[in-house]
Amino acid sequence: MAFRFEIIKKDPFSKARLGRIETNHGSFSTPAFLPVGTQGTVKSLTPEELVEVGVEVILGNTYHLYLRPGHETIGRLGGLHTFIHWNRPILTDSGGYQIFSLSKLRKISDDGVTFQSHIDGSLHYLTPEKVVEIQRTLGSDIAMVLDECIPYPSPYEYVKASTSLTTQWATRSLEIRKETDPALFAIVQGGMYQDLREESAQTLVKMDFQGYAIGGVSVGEPKSLMRSVLEWTTSFLPENAPRYLMGVGTPEDILEAVMMGIDLFDCVLPTRNARNGMLFTSIGKMSIKQAQYAEDERPVDEICACYTCRHYSRAYLRHLYLANEILSSRLNTIHNLYYYMNFIKGIQEAIREGHLLDFHKTHCSHPNGLEPEDSAHRLSTWG
Ligand SMILES: [Zn+2]
């Protein structure tokens, strides 16, 4: 499978990189944000609408697609791109996180993991090899290895053993890789322990992966700890491979991580918040249900050029939300994803022009961050 990562420009004042990833389904610029298409759809939008808001690559959840409708069914129907009518790049996760967060009766052995489906209670057994095979059948462009997601906080000895298992699983995933397979990314684990993070990164880097993800962050730890994990990890990752921070985050988290050398992000935040009436704007977060918008004729964000802001008032969006109309989710998702894609494009442009520090200063005067109580939730599970 064609896969190429090229760094176009490095920011002289931070570790940020502007790059481009080529796949069999076209190329995309990095830093990139991947909206989450949990069950073969980015909730409430058509692929054409995703393209219109500037989306270049999406994420699909292996766990969900394996359970329903089944990867073999999708394979027989022409693969995931054909099945969901999306001809641009797709990254699929390994399902590891969902197995550990959604399924019941999970039992892990060195060989693999047994779990009960959250849908119908049926029993399933997945190995690292099977997870590669599922993603091969789906026909994704970038596949992830199976990993054990470590909760926070966890004791050192457990994290050490779990990280070692994830590394063994990564080795086995590489051993069965075929020439035509998706690009395969390893996942650095190691919890919140510096020596385990370093060991995990150093061991995986010696193997032949096409990219590296940093897993096990955004699991409820304080932000300062996430920054430390990024520092410990990225210094051991090769310059010439993409780096993917799984499940992150707010625009501010993304910008900070870009400045620490991260290239890829996925998060349910823009789409899930949209359905909850929480909108990202250039002057901070907006809860559209508030009474103050009842007769507000202005668009959500007066400097936003999205379809929603071009045609609808805050008053109408508030009404749709309170009336529980389907259009509420659609219009809010269009706006939030447009905001995220525009934000990412702004970062790319700032790196290209050498203005990233200015961009950071301007943006952080109007934060769209999470409320403190939100930070305990991992965000990449549901689209
Ligand atoms: Zn808008």
Side-chain angles (χ1 to χ4, degrees):
M1 166 156 300
F3 182 86
R4 214 173 131 237
F5 174 60
E6 176 195 9
I7 294 178
I8 295 164
K9 178 132 191 227
K10 287 185 188 173
D11 180 48
F13 307 107
S14 72
K15 291 183 185 160
R17 313 108 65 83
L18 177 72
R20 193 123 190 115
I21 289 178
E22 269 174 43
T23 76
N24 277 357
H25 291 93
S27 61
F28 59 94
S29 295
T30 61
F33 178 80
L34 288 66
V36 179
T38 308
Q39 315 206 59
T41 165
V42 174
K43 289 190 195 304
S44 86
L45 297 195
T46 65
E48 286 75 11
E49 287 164 336
L50 292 175
V51 169
E52 199 182 313
V53 299
V55 174
E56 294 190 300
V57 46
I58 61 170
L59 178 140
N61 282 127
T62 292
Y63 170 90
H64 292 286
L65 298 169
Y66 159 77
L67 287 179
R68 185 172 56 190
H71 61 291
E72 279 161 355
T73 297
I74 293 174
R76 283 191 292 272
L77 292 169
L80 189 56
H81 291 84
T82 304
F83 186 54
I84 71 171
H85 173 52
W86 173 258
N87 60 13
R88 295 186 176 202
I90 298 177
L91 180 151
T92 44
D93 65 5
S94 67
Y97 178 72
Q98 285 75 22
I99 290 171
F100 292 98
S101 62
L102 294 179
S103 64
K104 296 170 201 149
L105 283 180
R106 201 169 51 241
K107 204 167 162 238
I108 194 162
S109 69
D110 284 357
D111 190 53
V113 56
T114 306
F115 63 94
Q116 205 178 11
S117 160
H118 74 288
I119 301 168
D120 59 7
S122 54
L123 270 184
H124 298 266
Y125 181 62
L126 286 180
T127 60
E129 291 86 356
K130 178 80 179 173
V131 163
V132 169
E133 186 201 313
I134 294 169
Q135 295 176 88
R136 176 187 296 150
T137 307
L138 291 173
S140 74
D141 298 288
I142 301 173
M144 306 300 300
V145 299
L146 183 64
D147 64 324
E148 187 191 0
C149 192
I150 301 168
Y152 172 80
S154 287
Y156 184 87
E157 286 308 318
Y158 164 68
V159 177
K160 189 176 166 69
S162 167
T163 303
S164 157
L165 184 64
T166 291
T167 304
Q168 286 169 38
W169 284 359
T171 312
R172 283 166 52 189
S173 308
L174 267 186
E175 279 165 3
I176 60 139
R177 186 167 56 170
K178 295 181 181 170
E179 187 88 347
T180 51
D181 272 357
L184 192 59
F185 282 22
I187 304 176
V188 177
Q189 289 286 353
M192 306 299 158
Y193 300 102
Q194 183 169 5
D195 63 323
L196 298 181
R197 282 281 170 186
E198 288 177 3
E199 192 188 320
S200 172
Q202 280 178 311
T203 314
L204 293 169
V205 162
K206 288 186 196 130
M207 304 179 204
D208 187 23
F209 289 102
Q210 281 139 311
Y212 295 89
I214 299 164
V217 292
S218 196
V219 287
E221 78 283 6
K223 295 216 169 177
S224 57
L225 202 46
M226 184 172 91
R227 275 193 289 274
S228 299
V229 167
L230 289 187
E231 254 164 42
W232 302 331
T233 312
T234 49
S235 55
F236 292 98
L237 297 179
E239 277 285 306
N240 59 358
R243 302 154 177 180
Y244 169 25
L245 184 57
M246 303 173 79
V248 172
T250 65
E252 290 72 35
D253 290 341
I254 289 173
L255 180 52
E256 274 198 31
V258 163
M259 294 173 86
M260 296 178 79
I262 303 294
D263 308 296
L264 300 174
F265 302 87
D266 80 274
C267 192
V268 296
L269 206 48
T271 43
R272 192 178 64 187
N273 273 13
R275 300 194 300 278
N276 293 330
M278 193 59 80
L279 302 172
F280 293 91
T281 80
S282 58
I283 51 164
K285 275 203 306 190
M286 173 185 288
S287 170
I288 199 65
K289 66 183 170 208
Q290 288 179 3
Q292 59 173 309
Y293 304 123
E295 296 192 6
D296 194 333
E297 291 174 296
R298 290 173 295 174
V300 168
D301 187 339
E302 288 178 289
I303 61 165
C304 179
C306 84
Y307 169 79
T308 302
C309 289
R310 278 187 280 123
H311 299 288
Y312 303 98
S313 65
R314 295 173 186 179
Y316 182 58
L317 294 175
R318 175 177 186 267
H319 159 70
L320 290 179
Y321 180 81
L322 294 180
N324 208 14
E325 280 291 341
I326 293 169
L327 190 58
S328 168
S329 291
R330 288 182 32 71
L331 293 178
N332 291 351
T333 303
I334 286 172
H335 169 78
N336 272 0
L337 274 185
Y338 185 94
Y339 181 89
Y340 260 65
M341 301 326 295
N342 204 42
F343 180 72
I344 283 284
K345 273 192 207 119
I347 292 177
Q348 292 168 0
E349 207 45 46
I351 301 173
R352 193 189 304 278
E353 305 293 330
H355 297 150
L356 192 61
L357 284 186
D358 289 340
F359 183 90
H360 181 262
K361 223 180 283 171
T362 311
H363 185 81
C364 288
S365 59
H366 296 297
N368 266 297
L370 284 176
E371 305 306 329
E373 68 268 23
D374 293 340
S375 64
H377 301 294
R378 159 87 183 199
L379 296 162
S380 73
T381 318
W382 298 95

